[in-house]
Amino acid sequence: MDAAAIVDYLAVSPVFAPLDAAERAALADRMRARRFERNEVIFHRHDPAAHVYLIATGTVKISVPEENGQEVVVALARGGDVFGEISLFDDGPRSATVTALTETTVFTLANRDFTQVLERSPRAMRALLALLATRIRHSTGHIEDLVFLDLPGRVAKCLLDQSELSGEPLVRLTQEDIAGFVGATRVAVNRSLVDLERRGAVRLGRGLIEVLDRAALRSEVRY
C-alpha cells in the first residue's frame, strides 16, 4: 500500500486527523502496512513495545491471558482505531495480547515518531487522551457488568454493545470470544445463547450471532 493510501486513512483517524496535510504526508512515509490472518497474534502480553498500530481494515481483540489458559477479553478495536499506545507513556512492555479476529491490515509507526507528532500537535495529544479516557470508561463499565449482572445479562449486554459498535445486527464473535468478555466458560455461554435463540432474541451461526430482538436482550440486563 502506497503512502497516498495511508494518508487517506490518517485523515479519518481521530488521533491523526488534527494534523495538517503536510504532517500527515510526512508521517505516512514512516508508516508500514502489515497484514494479519484471522486468529493471528499481532503481539503478546509482555512483548517489547516499539510501535503504535492504526487499524486500516479488520477487527482485533485485546485480551489478558490467565494462568489456567483462559483469557479475559478487554476490548475490540476496529478500522480507524489505534492500539498499542500505552507504551508511549511508560516505556514498559505490552500490557495485553492483541489478536486479529478477522483478516486485518494495520499501519505501524515507531513510538519515537508518534511521540514527535504528539509534541508538535496539541490537538493530536488531546485526541489521544480522549481515546484513553474512553477506554478507561469502557473498562470501568465492563467491571461493573462483571460484578452486578448475572451471566444471561452479561451475555445479552455483550451482544447489544458489539452490535451497536459495528452498526449491524451481526456480532462476529465466537462463543469462546464472548466467554472471554463475560468471564464465564464457553459451555455456560452456550446455554445462555441457546436460551436466547429459543426465545427468538438471536440466531446462532458459525462464528457469528445475529441479533433479532434488541428489546428482548435489553430485558435481560438487570442491575
Side-chain angles (χ1 to χ4, degrees), residues 23 99 111 123-124 149 154:
E23 289 173 323
T99 308
N111 283 356
R123 288 189 300 165
L149 290 177
R154 299 200 302 272

Side-chain angles (χ1 to χ4, degrees), residues 99-177:
T99 308
L101 279 182
T102 64
E103 290 186 5
T104 299
T105 298
V106 301
F107 302 127
T108 66
L109 180 65
N111 283 356
R112 62 181 180 277
D113 292 329
F114 195 19
T115 300
Q116 290 173 4
V117 169
L118 298 177
E119 289 173 347
R120 292 197 307 266
S121 174
R123 288 189 300 165
M125 174 63 84
R126 285 195 295 271
L128 179 62
L129 293 176
L131 170 67
L132 293 173
T134 298
R135 290 190 178 163
I136 291 170
R137 291 178 189 275
H138 174 81
S139 296
T140 301
H142 188 51
I143 293 170
E144 290 176 347
D145 293 344
L146 291 174
V147 172
F148 296 114
L149 290 177
D150 60 13
L151 179 57
R154 299 200 302 272
V155 171
K157 189 168 187 299
C158 175
L159 296 176
L160 285 168
D161 289 347
Q162 296 308 317
S163 176
E164 290 171 3
L165 283 172
S166 66
E168 61 178 13
L170 294 180
V171 176
R172 303 179 189 279
L173 294 175
T174 66
Q175 294 185 21
E176 186 129 3
D177 291 329

Side-chain angles (χ1 to χ4, degrees), residues 11-221:
V12 297
S13 166
V15 174
F16 295 103
L19 305 177
D20 62 36
E23 289 173 323
R24 289 196 295 269
L27 204 56
D29 287 333
R30 303 180 191 178
M31 303 182 82
R32 297 294 177 265
R34 293 187 61 189
R35 292 180 175 82
F36 296 90
E37 299 298 323
R38 185 175 183 272
N39 294 327
E40 184 176 356
V41 174
I42 297 173
F43 57 72
H44 289 92
R45 186 185 188 193
H46 301 314
D47 280 352
H51 293 82
V52 176
Y53 297 77
L54 168 65
I55 302 174
T57 60
T59 302
V60 306
K61 69 176 177 181
I62 302 169
S63 64
V64 178
E66 297 182 336
E67 291 183 0
N68 60 9
Q70 293 183 311
E71 65 176 2
V72 176
V73 179
V74 178
L76 299 185
R78 298 179 171 83
D81 288 338
V82 171
F83 65 89
E85 76 288 343
I86 293 177
S87 62
L88 294 170
F89 297 96
D90 64 4
D91 295 321
R94 298 299 186 190
S95 60
T97 295
V98 177
T99 308
L101 279 182
T102 64
E103 290 186 5
T104 299
T105 298
V106 301
F107 302 127
T108 66
L109 180 65
N111 283 356
R112 62 181 180 277
D113 292 329
F114 195 19
T115 300
Q116 290 173 4
V117 169
L118 298 177
E119 289 173 347
R120 292 197 307 266
S121 174
R123 288 189 300 165
M125 174 63 84
R126 285 195 295 271
L128 179 62
L129 293 176
L131 170 67
L132 293 173
T134 298
R135 290 190 178 163
I136 291 170
R137 291 178 189 275
H138 174 81
S139 296
T140 301
H142 188 51
I143 293 170
E144 290 176 347
D145 293 344
L146 291 174
V147 172
F148 296 114
L149 290 177
D150 60 13
L151 179 57
R154 299 200 302 272
V155 171
K157 189 168 187 299
C158 175
L159 296 176
L160 285 168
D161 289 347
Q162 296 308 317
S163 176
E164 290 171 3
L165 283 172
S166 66
E168 61 178 13
L170 294 180
V171 176
R172 303 179 189 279
L173 294 175
T174 66
Q175 294 185 21
E176 186 129 3
D177 291 329
I178 294 173
F181 260 109
V182 302
T185 65
R186 191 198 65 78
V187 173
V189 167
N190 176 260
R191 286 198 294 265
S192 292
L193 290 171
V194 168
D195 182 59
L196 289 172
E197 184 176 47
R198 180 182 57 80
R199 291 188 281 138
V202 301
R203 181 182 294 119
L204 305 182
R206 186 177 179 83
L208 57 82
I209 299 159
E210 183 179 5
V211 174
L212 301 177
D213 188 340
R214 292 179 180 275
L217 291 180
R218 291 192 187 98
S219 70
E220 293 290 331
V221 183

